[in-house]
Amino acid sequence: MARTLLRRRAGALAAAAAALVLTCAPTASAGPPDRAANQPRGHDVSSHQKRVDWQSAQDDGARFVYVKATEATGYRNPYFDQQYDGAREAGLIRGAYHFALPDRSSGARQAAYFVAHGGDWRADGWTLPPALDIEYNPYSARHKCYGLSKKKMTKWIWSFSDEIRRETGRRPVIYTTSQWWKLCTGDSRAFASTHPLWVARHGTSGPGRLPGGWRYWTFWQYDTAGRLPGDQNLFNGTAGRLRTFALGW
């Protein structure tokens, strides 16, 4: 995501030619893992990481992972099954994410494709809610917001979210950056009370100002490389709270 988009898009292009509702109480700003001893470490992966050694990741401290499943309605990560199932076998709590391309099709259609290709959820304590990865357009620097107005972008996200909830029973986690959210949704506050936030901000001691009315972050992607395969993340809570979040409580 974010700074790794170009690497991830290469895989996609080859195949074609990510309050209680928020699951966590406020905590002090957390830094990288060496300053967040009580916060579970995790990561996110895509086809770029190919066949991950999940036992090594678990040994290195991974407790959760998000795996890219789909993009738009024409791409599925060819390594998804190995990554998703392998993470579970190694004892990691895992979830799937969808990379949004709002200029390609409706939110509802992309959500349905996502659920049908790995983005489902079950209340087993091992499955994180589906995640929507929505950020700068990796295919056009001129159309950072995919050609959609702020109002239409907000409607697109709701369309995706409503379909995810209809099919899985949960609202999706939203992965984004504060800058993109402000530029492309007008810093909409419409999702903050019902959607957990996965915020990306790299190279800093904290996640910074949160987008769109969110008071708490649930996941923070703090770097694009580190001890775990893929991007580096923290969960804003304890290991027990992470399991509770997965269960949907």
Side-chain angles (χ1 to χ4, degrees), residues 1 17 20 26 42 51 120-121 135 146-147 171 189:
M1 301 165 181
L20 184 61
R51 295 190 177 277
D120 205 355
W121 173 79
E135 52 181 291
Y146 303 89
R171 291 288 185 187
R189 303 171 69 90

Side-chain angles (χ1 to χ4, degrees), residues 1-3 5 8 18 99-100 102 133-138 144-146 175-177 180 184:
M1 301 165 181
R3 284 157 51 189
L5 283 177
R8 291 181 178 178
F99 189 86
D133 178 355
I134 190 157
E135 52 181 291
Y136 291 107
N137 186 349
K144 296 179 179 179
C145 302
Y146 303 89
Y175 168 98
T176 195
T177 68
W180 185 91
C184 298

Side-chain angles (χ1 to χ4, degrees), residues 22-223:
L22 296 181
T23 80
C24 49
T27 66
S29 292
D34 60 338
R35 298 175 59 188
N38 295 323
Q39 291 176 304
R41 301 174 186 175
H43 53 138
D44 58 89
V45 299
S46 67
S47 62
H48 180 75
Q49 283 71 43
K50 299 183 179 178
R51 295 190 177 277
V52 176
D53 185 340
W54 289 107
Q55 191 57 57
S56 291
Q58 201 271 351
D59 291 344
D60 285 340
R63 297 296 175 262
F64 68 90
V65 66
Y66 264 105
V67 178
K68 180 175 180 178
T70 52
E71 179 174 313
T73 58
Y75 173 81
R76 184 177 189 262
N77 174 8
Y79 297 94
F80 179 78
D81 291 337
Q82 187 276 342
Q83 293 175 343
Y84 192 77
D85 296 340
R88 172 65 184 89
E89 290 169 5
L92 276 66
I93 297 174
R94 82 283 192 256
Y97 78 86
H98 172 81
F99 189 86
L101 295 179
D103 57 342
R104 304 287 179 88
S105 54
S106 70
R109 185 178 175 190
Q110 291 194 29
Y113 180 81
F114 175 41
V115 172
H117 293 86
D120 205 355
W121 173 79
R122 65 191 68 175
D124 57 4
W126 293 100
T127 307
L128 294 168
L132 171 66
D133 178 355
I134 190 157
E135 52 181 291
Y136 291 107
N137 186 349
Y139 300 113
S140 174
R142 291 183 56 199
H143 299 98
K144 296 179 179 179
C145 302
Y146 303 89
L148 273 65
S149 68
K150 297 177 176 66
K151 182 177 181 180
K152 287 184 177 179
M153 183 64 74
T154 301
K155 289 181 65 176
W156 192 98
I157 297 169
W158 272 120
S159 175
F160 183 95
S161 175
D162 286 345
E163 181 65 16
I164 290 292
R165 186 177 185 183
R166 188 186 73 80
E167 295 206 32
T168 73
R170 294 196 74 169
R171 291 288 185 187
V173 174
I174 294 178
Y175 168 98
T176 195
T177 68
S178 295
Q179 294 86 352
W180 185 91
W181 195 260
K182 183 176 182 179
L183 176 67
C184 298
T185 75
D187 214 27
S188 173
R189 303 171 69 90
F191 302 90
S193 65
T194 51
H195 294 71
L197 174 66
W198 181 3
V199 65
R201 189 167 188 252
H202 306 146
T204 62
S205 61
R209 179 187 176 277
L210 301 181
W214 272 286
R215 295 175 59 199
Y216 322 123
W217 54 272
T218 299
F219 298 100
W220 169 29
Q221 185 190 87
Y222 64 86
D223 210 338

